[in-house]
Amino acid sequence: MRNPQSTRAKLPPLATLPAFSIAARTGSLTLAARELPLTPGAISRQIKSLEEALGVQLFHRGHNTISLTDAGRQYLTHVNAALATIDNGTRALLPDRVRLVIQAPITLARRWLIPRLGAYLQENPNVDLNIQSLALGASDVPDVTVTYRRGADEARFASAFLLDRTVAVCSPLLIGGTAKTMTPGALLDLPILLDTADAWSWRRWCAAADIAFQPRGGSITFDTDEASIDACMTGLGIGQASPSLIERELREGQLIMLCPNINPIVGAYEMAGSTPTGLAAGFNQWLLTWRES
């Protein structure tokens, strides 16, 4: 008689599953390494160990890029469900849960903060987060408020956790294979996308390129950088954006940078209000750990 234990699938190395899940979410071994924290090499070895245990390839690997295979996408659904069950069970056992209300500009929250919150929650598993958009108004008194301040002088932003450097970007659908040969002046012959009525980012970019801001191909103005980025990805024109806020789009080739050596500072994201204490102070300090040197 066959032992029923002999037909049971062997579990993969469970310690490798968080690395797989985070690498799949971020699309980057480097970002996954910062969340855990490990080195990118350690993340790569864990994923390789998982693939060998399963006997399937989970990621396509390119130059500084990774993307899920069909098998990887299928497996990720089960891994994320299992990790969520464990996380919920762990949180239910933890006493003295605390709530942290964070207000932030919507584009920063969606494009920069959310992809990094997993690292914070791993370090602070008893915290329940409430993320609110400044643009939509406050429903609770915030513990942490993140604001955006314009400016061109880096010295003014010594306390900022994220400098806003702007670069010209567009969809590859707009200019085909001519991106590397485009000159700053030639960009203004194409439709220009503005994320503010006064064209602040474009004027700063043109000043850094030592050309006049004179759009000759027409322009479309939006009231948020989020809308401008969306329009840019559809091929409506050339936009301005911070590489920090379009990491995924650049990595996946949905957007490409034009004249990337022109990247002036146009502002910064900072923590506002009086000096916080306790949990809020800890969150602010965590934000500062992400500041690029």
Side-chain angles (χ1 to χ4, degrees):
M1 182 178 179
R2 177 178 292 181
N3 183 348
Q5 296 292 331
S6 65
T7 62
R8 181 177 299 171
K10 182 180 178 181
L11 288 174
L14 299 182
T16 65
L17 298 182
F20 166 63
S21 176
I22 295 172
R25 170 168 53 81
T26 62
S28 166
L29 297 178
T30 300
L31 290 178
R34 292 187 70 173
E35 282 200 27
L36 280 172
L38 294 168
T39 65
I43 297 292
S44 179
R45 288 190 292 274
Q46 287 197 13
I47 292 173
K48 187 66 175 177
S49 174
L50 179 60
E51 289 177 324
E52 291 174 350
L54 296 172
V56 297
Q57 184 177 344
L58 299 173
F59 288 102
H60 298 296
R61 293 165 173 84
H63 179 63
N64 294 328
T65 63
I66 57 172
S67 60
L68 287 168
T69 63
D70 290 341
R73 280 189 289 271
Q74 180 181 357
Y75 193 55
L76 179 65
T77 302
H78 300 289
V79 169
N80 283 347
L83 292 176
T85 298
I86 295 171
D87 182 63
N88 290 336
T90 302
R91 290 173 186 273
L93 292 176
L94 292 173
D96 303 324
R97 299 200 59 78
V98 292
R99 183 168 177 263
L100 184 66
V101 179
I102 302 164
Q103 287 184 11
I106 188 169
T107 301
L108 179 81
R110 288 183 58 187
R111 295 181 168 274
W112 189 90
L113 183 58
I114 288 174
R116 291 164 171 79
L117 282 179
Y120 176 80
L121 291 174
Q122 186 174 29
E123 298 170 10
N124 302 271
N126 66 321
V127 177
D128 293 322
L129 295 175
N130 185 340
I131 313 296
Q132 300 179 354
S133 168
L134 286 174
L136 301 179
S139 57
D140 294 284
V141 176
D143 301 300
V144 173
T145 300
V146 175
T147 59
Y148 180 81
R149 183 160 60 102
R150 280 186 180 187
D153 183 3
E154 184 174 355
R156 294 181 57 203
F157 301 124
S159 62
F161 67 89
L162 182 64
L163 291 176
D164 185 16
R165 288 188 176 274
T166 193
V167 293
V169 293
C170 74
S171 166
L173 301 173
L174 183 67
I175 61 171
T178 63
K180 292 184 179 180
T181 61
M182 295 290 288
T183 63
L187 298 191
L188 299 180
D189 292 325
L190 298 168
I192 296 299
L193 305 178
L194 308 177
D195 54 19
T196 59
D198 63 356
W200 165 252
S201 295
W202 268 108
R203 293 183 187 279
R204 286 285 305 128
W205 188 88
C206 286
D210 198 25
I211 61 175
F213 176 63
Q214 295 176 342
R216 296 175 290 274
S219 65
I220 306 174
T221 303
F222 300 91
D223 61 355
T224 66
D225 46 3
E226 187 71 21
S228 178
I229 291 170
D230 287 343
C232 203
M233 287 193 292
T234 67
L236 282 178
I238 309 291
Q240 291 285 330
S242 168
S244 297
L245 301 182
I246 53 171
E247 292 172 328
R248 179 173 59 83
E249 288 80 5
L250 291 173
R251 184 172 63 244
E252 297 178 356
Q254 294 174 288
L255 291 175
I256 53 178
M257 284 193 285
L258 307 170
C259 309
N261 58 312
I262 303 173
N263 56 356
I265 293 174
V266 295
Y269 293 94
E270 304 171 307
M271 289 79 77
S274 57
T275 303
T277 58
L279 192 62
F283 186 84
N284 284 358
Q285 188 59 43
W286 176 80
L287 284 178
L288 287 172
T289 65
W290 288 92
R291 178 164 185 171
E292 297 179 359
S293 57

